[in-house]
Amino acid sequence: MVAAPKKDMIPYPARIERTVVETEDGLLKSFYLRLLDEEASREFSHRPGQFAMLSVLGKGECPIGIASAPSEKLLMFTVFRTGLVTDALHRLPEGTIIGLRGPLGNGYPLEKFKGKNVVLIAGGFAVTTLRATLVYLLEHRADYGEITMIYGARNPGLLLYKPELEAWKKRDDLKLYLTIDREAPGWDGLVGFVPQITEQVAPSGENAVALVCGPPIMIKFTLPVLEKCGFKPEDIYLSLENRMRCGLGLCHHCNVGPFLVCKDGPVITLAELKKLPPEY
Amino acid sequence: MLTEKIREIAKKLLEEGKIEAFLCYEGTSHPFRNRAVLVKSPEEVKKLLWPSFGVINLATPLQKLKGQKAGILATGCVSRAIVVLIQEGQLKREDLFVVGVPCPGMLDPSKVRDKAPEIIDVIDDLKDEVLIVTPEDKIKFSREELLRNNCQECRHPVPPLYDLLLDFSGREKSPDPYRRVQEIEDLTLEERWQWFEREVLRRCFRCYACRQACPLCYCPTCFVDDSRPQWVGKTRDLIDTALYHLVRAYHLAGRCVDCGSCEAACPMDIPLRLLTKKLEKEALLAFSFEAGLDPEAPLLFTSFDENDPEDFMLTSELKASGKI
Amino acid sequence: MFYFLPREALKNWLSEISKVHEVFVPVSPSGFGPYEGKLYLEKKTKLSAKEFFLPWREVILKFEARPGALPSPVFFEPVKERIIFGVRPCDAKGLTLIEKVFGEDPFFQKRREKTILLGLLCKEPGRECFGWAMGVNPFAGEGLDALFLEQAEGYLVKLLSPKGEKLFKDQEAFEKVGEEAQNSFKKAEKEFLEKHPKAPALEKLKEADLLKLYEADFWEGLALPCLNCGICTFLCPTCYCFDVQDEVVGLEGERVRLPEACMFELYSRHASGHNPRRSPVARFRNRFMHKFKYFLDEYGEPLCVGCGRCNEECPAGINLWEVIRAMSTL
């Protein structure tokens, strides 16, 4: 199953094999990484929903969700350029060696979802770990019931993984709803915020789980819709983010009450979340 | 007694509804520490007292009360900090009811602490004498000896801004406010650097208590906390520590009211105040400027006069005057 | 097992062991330093022995500062085994609490392994101490390898671990003592515990509802004087949060771990600027909720040994007991 994280805070060297600029604004870039150490590479096994610390020596480390599925040869991370480390990362050319520490965190309990319908709801660039999840689910298609994905972005230019989205659209074993916030030239798909589209799609909460990843405002308005659809708080999974340093439950930056996002999370059910102070 | 006067006026203001809350000090279980407290009802005013150890400027917690009509006990330096905060748009005059006190000066916990191994109580007559009570004895000290350095060097014990001034006779203006600064100035350049390294840089562990205690360090993001660009490293590298203290001091030039909160907050007893005091002296000598006296007056750094002296930036003149 | 060391033999013995070990002692009221003849044993020091285990600067990696360089790990490797003498039992207990979290952290563990901790009981509790109320029995010497009890003629030494036993096996300055001396230790312990019972507050805190505590209206008032400086966290023998920073000088780079304070705005600020604990009161509350609720719930003990340093040193005059009292009487 999933390897226990290394406790020594020493990153594996990883080579940037390929980069893909994902969005028109250039702020999102995917990094395809290969671990240099063969043994580490063999042992590295993760679960969708986990993350890793990417490190640019001299700049620092930052936690990024793993966007590749466990079966994929290269580890993939889609990084939003926003801080010191991600800014440095964006400037590195292909072939550069960076550091990688992980996999960290709990990930989605996909075994538990077997036999159930799965609804993935993503907003903006938070789609990354849900991409990993979807790839996994499609690979194990027979184990799951209906799979629905609702994915929204501000405009078409900000949708990630476009070639894959095209391929997924064509599948008849996946209901994919892509939406953008406002009408845009050349867009003939759905228009509206993710909560509204979720309401229209109205997935049933019967024997189903929902995985929701997105900006706080989207989550805030999506949760009541899901509850109305009959999803129980135990069946709604969220992924938290907080500032963190170690990823190992030591440095304590990421605590939400007694819950450490790095170690106890990042994935948490709504039922668990309701027991915590609202510090996320 | 001053304490009685404070309670009386706070009670009256609260009862009359002139204020929603009154910010002052209370006692603690520690014999030489006072703590800021906000009382919201007339019944609570019995907590309030004149603090002999009110070393953290009340204008610091005052900024947490934005939007409330609050009364505040103000000594000279609290009042001056309020003036600067009004000038800089951080506080609204109409939100405040300032109860001024001609200040008798406050005692320095670190001077008191060293007087006896165990101290149970400190009795301050607010004039000449302080009694330090130990388990065995009561020891008498001259008040002057135990005063905080900034109080000894205070140029404005009487608040420049108030709505009501308590009837009390405080300290006289200090005749010699720059004695300690002068001592450092008299050192050679090399000795001054050694002093800075020894007294400041090697002792500081960057807890930023000085910044947090300062009523005028209110930047939403301090330059040391910026990450893009990261101006200052975060470890105890002396260069970074030096940068922090120098930039902070310069940022307070023409603004610092010498309340001594920074020095009082420092867990390592670093004589931080001397840095800002030096800049206060420069502002006074070069521009006849003193911070926090008049809310209507322009700020030092936002006013320019053709006749402003410029010699301080001319290396040749500084060399000629022997300053460098 | 117990030994006895005559008072006048202490300094001589410290010099002796300095030949084989790296010996640190309290050198002044502010803290510890290498033993060079100076010794300050009157009271506990401002900085605790925590800095030997979670140091001000722990280099964890070195690297050449150019894109693509590989990091090389750095571990604490002292040439000689360290002895820290004069550690107060509450501070050693603090290390055992940190160890509950850092049990698998190689940096902390290396330092623990390579260090012998020799404790010294306080003659009297300090004015701000309340260790017993937090369930600390100083005579138990948790986390220590040996514990010194000062008596009229010298020090009675109780051995507490194999490491301690090994050290004292062939120390000539010490004499083995019999049952009588052991009884005097037990008597002192009994007297102390009778005078200083555990506080009922902890049981109340265990039972308290987490969210109700969090939402209590006393936080605002308690936090008003707080400056959100980090003094209490830096001086606390149980606060363990750390920051990680990369430092580069020329081509030499180091990744370091350094103490961090949850009181700082930066502590929880995301790269995006969002901060889940933006307000000063939220940060104040988090510190005490961590110590007296989150940690207590998880490990059965509070993250506090009642050393009183925070009370002694808080520039704003905040008293921890008042916080505990408010939390436990909700």
Side-chain angles (χ1 to χ4, degrees):
Chain A
M1 210 37 238
V2 177
K6 266 156 51 99
K7 301 287 184 191
D8 58 11
M9 296 189 65
I10 295 155
Y12 298 120
R15 184 191 289 113
I16 303 173
E17 296 287 343
R18 192 157 67 88
T19 62
V20 175
V21 178
E22 296 281 356
T23 54
E24 278 173 3
D25 62 7
L27 290 177
L28 281 133
K29 200 171 183 180
S30 290
F31 295 80
Y32 290 81
L33 306 178
R34 186 192 302 282
L35 298 182
L36 292 191
D37 182 59
E38 273 181 32
E39 199 188 317
S41 189
R42 261 200 313 279
E43 282 174 8
F44 193 102
S45 61
H46 74 281
R47 179 189 285 176
Q50 286 193 293
F51 67 98
M53 299 293 280
L54 297 187
S55 151
V56 180
L57 294 176
K59 297 293 177 192
E61 284 188 310
C62 63
I64 308 282
I66 304 174
S68 52
S71 60
E72 292 174 293
K73 275 211 183 96
L74 296 178
L75 286 162
M76 195 262 279
F77 298 84
T78 305
V79 180
F80 178 54
R81 181 177 188 161
T82 179
L84 184 72
V85 181
T86 52
D87 189 64
L89 201 55
H90 266 245
R91 292 169 198 270
L92 296 177
E94 289 175 355
T96 312
I97 291 162
I98 62 166
L100 185 154
R101 222 151 46 75
L104 301 167
N106 56 357
Y108 294 105
L110 296 171
E111 292 291 310
K112 252 176 79 178
F113 301 164
K114 278 190 181 172
K116 294 188 179 183
N117 298 337
V118 183
V119 182
L120 310 174
I121 302 176
F125 47 84
V127 69
T128 59
T129 55
L130 288 186
R131 184 233 164 238
T133 309
L134 181 62
V135 172
Y136 178 95
L137 293 174
L138 294 175
E139 283 167 359
H140 301 78
R141 189 65 194 85
D143 292 342
Y144 299 92
E146 265 186 19
I147 301 176
T148 308
M149 184 177 206
I150 300 166
Y151 171 30
R154 232 177 305 149
N155 59 56
L158 293 181
L159 287 168
L160 305 185
Y161 316 128
K162 283 191 201 72
E164 274 181 320
L165 294 179
E166 288 307 316
W168 289 336
K169 266 190 207 163
K170 292 178 191 133
R171 292 183 73 126
D172 52 12
D173 59 352
L174 164 69
K175 290 187 193 163
L176 180 65
Y177 302 92
L178 299 178
T179 176
I180 58 167
D181 290 358
R182 241 165 266 115
E183 297 277 0
W187 178 259
D188 55 4
L190 296 166
V191 176
F193 296 115
V194 168
Q196 298 167 326
I197 301 300
T198 309
E199 199 157 14
Q200 287 166 24
V201 173
S204 161
E206 187 78 20
N207 189 35
V209 292
L211 281 50
V212 189
C213 263
I217 189 81
M218 180 205 100
I219 292 178
K220 189 180 161 194
F221 289 105
T222 304
L223 293 178
V225 175
L226 287 172
E227 293 194 272
K228 222 165 74 186
C229 294
F231 286 87
K232 293 194 293 291
E234 303 82 73
D235 293 325
I236 300 175
Y237 289 79
L238 302 155
S239 184
L240 298 178
E241 278 184 349
N242 253 351
R243 183 186 180 94
M244 60 178 71
R245 285 305 193 208
C246 68
L248 302 166
L250 303 176
C251 80
H252 217 263
H253 283 75
C254 65
N255 80 299
V256 178
F259 184 92
L260 295 176
V261 172
C262 70
K263 189 173 72 109
D264 307 321
V267 173
I268 185 170
T269 63
L270 181 59
E272 288 174 276
L273 192 66
K274 283 182 169 174
K275 295 179 200 153
L276 300 178
E279 291 186 344
Y280 38 86
Chain B
M1 265 306 281
L2 205 40
T3 292
E4 300 311 320
K5 288 180 185 169
I6 293 166
R7 289 177 186 172
E8 201 180 302
I9 184 68
K11 187 160 180 257
K12 189 158 166 273
L13 291 170
L14 285 163
E15 277 171 352
E16 289 172 359
K18 286 205 171 127
I19 53 172
E20 292 166 53
F22 191 77
L23 183 60
C24 186
Y25 294 94
E26 64 180 338
T28 70
S29 61
H30 196 298
F32 41 98
R33 252 187 230 297
N34 291 116
R35 178 170 59 213
V37 66
L38 186 73
V39 292
K40 294 182 177 170
S41 69
E43 295 74 52
E44 287 179 284
V45 301
K46 56 182 183 292
K47 283 186 193 170
L48 307 182
L49 46 73
W50 165 261
S52 284
F53 298 96
V55 295
I56 303 297
N57 195 322
L58 282 183
T60 302
L62 177 66
Q63 292 167 76
K64 292 183 180 176
L65 310 179
K66 276 176 194 166
Q68 274 182 64
K69 174 86 184 177
I72 181 171
L73 180 76
T75 58
C77 51
V78 174
S79 172
R80 290 176 66 201
I82 291 172
V83 169
V84 177
L85 289 165
I86 292 171
Q87 284 175 307
E88 295 179 354
Q90 298 300 311
L91 291 177
K92 289 198 185 114
R93 179 67 184 91
E94 59 272 24
D95 284 348
L96 302 171
F97 191 98
V98 180
V99 176
V101 187
C103 182
M106 292 189 193
L107 307 180
D108 186 336
S110 61
K111 290 182 186 174
V112 170
R113 181 185 64 202
D114 297 338
K115 293 299 176 199
E118 206 187 331
I119 296 169
I120 300 173
D121 198 7
V122 179
I123 303 167
D124 178 10
D125 75 354
L126 305 187
K127 252 178 97 145
D128 314 304
E129 256 176 38
V130 174
L131 284 177
I132 293 187
V133 186
T134 70
E136 301 83 27
D137 211 356
K138 279 184 183 169
I139 319 167
K140 196 187 284 182
F141 290 91
S142 96
R143 200 166 184 272
E144 194 64 29
E145 181 191 346
L146 297 179
L147 273 186
R148 305 169 68 197
N149 289 355
N150 62 311
C151 297
Q152 288 173 348
E153 298 177 352
C154 180
R155 291 172 52 85
H156 297 281
V158 179
L161 174 86
Y162 55 80
D163 294 287
L164 182 150
L165 189 67
L166 293 181
D167 174 25
F168 187 76
S169 82
R171 269 175 74 73
E172 294 295 312
K173 208 168 180 171
S174 165
D176 189 14
Y178 299 113
R179 183 177 57 80
R180 289 183 178 88
V181 168
Q182 187 66 48
E183 280 170 18
I184 309 289
E185 286 173 340
D186 289 344
L187 302 174
T188 64
L189 182 63
E190 196 171 297
E191 287 168 335
R192 264 180 278 161
W193 177 259
Q194 285 167 355
W195 175 86
F196 185 52
E197 189 176 323
R198 185 183 66 242
E199 298 295 326
V200 182
L201 304 185
R202 295 229 173 256
R203 284 156 72 183
C204 174
F205 61 78
R206 306 269 294 277
C207 68
Y208 301 128
C210 44
R211 173 190 77 186
Q212 298 299 108
C214 178
L216 299 174
C217 267
Y218 55 74
C219 293
T221 301
C222 178
F223 75 103
V224 293
D225 289 339
D226 252 337
S227 64
R228 276 206 309 175
Q230 185 164 330
W231 308 102
V232 188
K234 299 233 156 71
T235 60
R236 293 168 80 192
D237 188 310
L238 295 191
I239 303 275
D240 291 321
T241 307
L243 193 62
Y244 165 63
H245 284 292
L246 293 177
V247 173
R248 198 186 93 85
Y250 275 94
H251 199 177
L252 286 160
R255 303 173 63 234
C256 175
V257 295
D258 198 23
C259 67
S261 296
C262 50
E263 205 165 277
C266 178
M268 303 308 283
D269 297 328
I270 299 172
L272 285 164
R273 224 191 96 245
L274 284 176
L275 304 178
T276 43
K277 191 72 176 170
K278 163 71 176 161
L279 291 164
E280 178 195 295
K281 183 182 173 186
E282 293 295 313
L284 184 67
L285 296 187
F287 305 100
S288 309
F289 183 89
E290 286 186 285
L293 298 183
D294 175 5
E296 306 299 328
L299 293 157
L300 178 63
F301 278 94
T302 57
S303 50
F304 173 73
D305 187 287
E306 279 179 9
N307 300 317
D308 280 347
E310 291 174 341
D311 62 331
F312 64 91
M313 51 183 159
L314 299 174
T315 320
S316 56
E317 294 192 23
L318 285 175
K319 273 190 180 149
S321 68
K323 282 191 180 166
I324 56 171
Chain C
M1 201 186 295
F2 287 83
Y3 285 90
F4 187 80
L5 179 73
R7 187 186 307 276
E8 63 281 3
L10 177 65
K11 285 197 165 186
N12 205 6
W13 175 68
L14 288 170
S15 306
E16 275 307 304
I17 55 170
S18 295
K19 291 173 188 160
V20 193
H21 298 272
E22 217 180 329
V23 179
F24 296 90
V25 298
V27 290
S28 75
S30 13
F32 287 77
Y35 180 66
E36 287 162 350
K38 245 188 5 188
L39 203 52
Y40 173 83
L41 300 179
E42 279 66 53
K43 284 184 181 177
K44 81 162 113 24
T45 49
K46 194 184 274 186
L47 289 169
S48 76
K50 178 180 82 172
E51 57 178 330
F52 290 97
F53 303 94
L54 297 176
W56 289 101
R57 184 185 165 85
E58 175 91 83
V59 179
I60 60 175
L61 289 178
K62 281 186 190 289
F63 53 87
E64 205 182 315
R66 56 175 174 81
L70 298 180
S72 41
V74 178
F75 284 109
F76 173 71
E77 278 302 341
V79 186
K80 297 175 183 172
E81 191 177 35
R82 299 189 302 179
I83 290 180
I84 306 173
F85 171 77
V87 177
R88 301 295 166 172
C90 54
D91 292 348
K93 167 76 184 181
L95 289 173
T96 68
L97 295 175
I98 296 175
E99 203 151 24
K100 286 175 191 283
V101 180
F102 283 63
E104 289 180 81
D105 175 56
F107 302 97
F108 182 84
Q109 283 306 335
K110 278 260 180 185
R111 287 174 180 272
R112 280 291 264 156
E113 269 164 39
K114 306 276 180 180
T115 310
I116 299 175
L117 281 181
L118 305 181
L120 175 65
L121 281 154
C122 296
K123 283 176 241 173
E124 279 292 322
R127 184 184 48 219
E128 299 294 339
C129 294
F130 54 96
W132 57 91
M134 295 290 102
V136 180
N137 170 8
F139 287 82
E142 272 181 82
L144 291 165
D145 297 301
L147 179 57
F148 286 51
L149 169 67
E150 191 171 350
Q151 294 183 321
E153 307 290 312
Y155 300 94
L156 187 60
V157 185
K158 185 184 185 185
L159 302 191
L160 294 162
S161 77
K163 253 202 250 175
E165 277 162 26
K166 194 173 150 232
L167 174 73
F168 284 97
K169 209 169 59 193
D170 39 36
Q171 298 293 333
E172 284 172 9
F174 292 77
E175 42 188 287
K176 260 195 194 161
V177 289
E179 210 169 307
E180 202 180 316
Q182 300 186 23
N183 287 339
S184 71
F185 187 94
K186 278 184 196 144
K187 191 167 153 256
E189 175 172 6
K190 196 163 160 257
E191 276 172 15
F192 178 87
L193 293 177
E194 276 167 8
K195 245 166 91 184
H196 300 102
K198 198 167 165 174
L202 289 184
E203 293 311 313
K204 294 208 177 107
L205 284 167
K206 277 184 200 170
E207 291 158 17
D209 181 76
L210 188 144
L211 283 180
K212 277 201 188 119
L213 265 185
Y214 178 89
E215 285 156 6
D217 51 17
F218 55 69
W219 292 112
E220 195 107 10
L222 289 172
L224 176 95
C226 178
L227 304 172
N228 288 91
C229 73
I231 293 177
C232 52
T233 68
F234 292 119
L235 299 183
C236 177
T238 67
C239 269
Y240 56 72
C241 296
F242 62 80
D243 191 11
V244 179
Q245 290 285 328
D246 283 10
E247 287 205 323
V248 177
V249 178
L251 268 182
E252 284 171 36
E254 288 181 338
R255 179 163 290 171
V256 294
R257 262 171 42 169
L258 53 152
E260 162 83 302
C262 58
M263 287 288 162
F264 295 168
E265 197 270 335
L266 194 60
Y267 180 88
S268 49
R269 194 206 299 157
H270 294 193
S272 66
H274 169 69
N275 191 343
R277 284 191 290 273
R278 184 185 292 280
S279 74
V281 58
R283 303 199 288 278
F284 178 91
R285 171 175 53 197
N286 183 58
R287 177 160 194 267
F288 298 110
M289 285 294 281
H290 182 210
K291 289 195 173 298
F292 301 110
K293 188 59 185 167
Y294 308 153
F295 196 92
L296 182 68
D297 281 353
E298 184 157 358
Y299 299 105
E301 293 179 282
L303 188 61
C304 171
V305 291
C307 72
R309 286 184 179 89
C310 50
N311 294 344
E312 198 69 60
E313 300 296 334
C314 174
I318 288 165
N319 185 296
L320 194 67
W321 252 121
E322 291 174 34
V323 179
I324 297 174
R325 199 184 304 140
M327 289 177 76
S328 60
T329 52
L330 179 68

